[in-house]
Amino acid sequence: MSRVRSKGTSPEMTVRRLFHALGFRFRLHRRDLPGTPDIVLPRHRLAVFVNGCFWHGHYCPLFRIPATRSEFWTLKIESNRRRDGVARRGLLESGWRTLCVWECALRGRGRLSEGELSLAVNGFMSGDQREGNIAGRLSPVGACIGEGDA
């Protein structure tokens, strides 16, 4: 696990290029915010998380608990989901908006095209929602981070 990168991943770079192409300027990995968001747009008070479906337990075709050491992985992923929920709530309570872009939106059979991804980001940016999720086409509706977590 020590070789798994948390910064500069391929999905994160794709989302960063998209935000830049749409004309948004941002900061990266602000450690002073809960959860250290991957992308922060201070002018819009928006924190963006680019989550891997496996590591954050997203309910989509890219996520499956490994057959070996399944108890360990279940606990690990549940811990990650709880931590994600706490970070998201902390940001919302301090007046930030949150957007989660899932890995399945960027790769796999159900990935979104660049145009669809741009529309989804622009739709969120122009709307008044406090939190949002962008997932692939094959993800069930309502499969979001931190749901039901205390």
Side-chain angles (χ1 to χ4, degrees), residues 13-63:
M13 296 303 289
T14 301
V15 174
R16 284 163 53 176
R17 280 191 295 273
L18 172 73
F19 272 100
H20 196 271
L22 292 173
F24 295 109
R25 298 301 173 251
F26 49 84
R27 298 286 171 251
L28 301 175
H29 309 289
R30 287 225 352 226
R31 296 179 71 194
D32 61 324
L33 293 175
T36 311
D38 298 312
I39 301 168
V40 178
L41 289 85
R43 177 181 290 175
H44 301 278
R45 290 196 57 86
L46 173 65
V48 180
F49 294 94
V50 183
N51 285 347
C53 295
F54 173 75
W55 295 104
H56 297 271
H58 190 226
Y59 299 111
C60 74
L62 296 182
F63 173 68

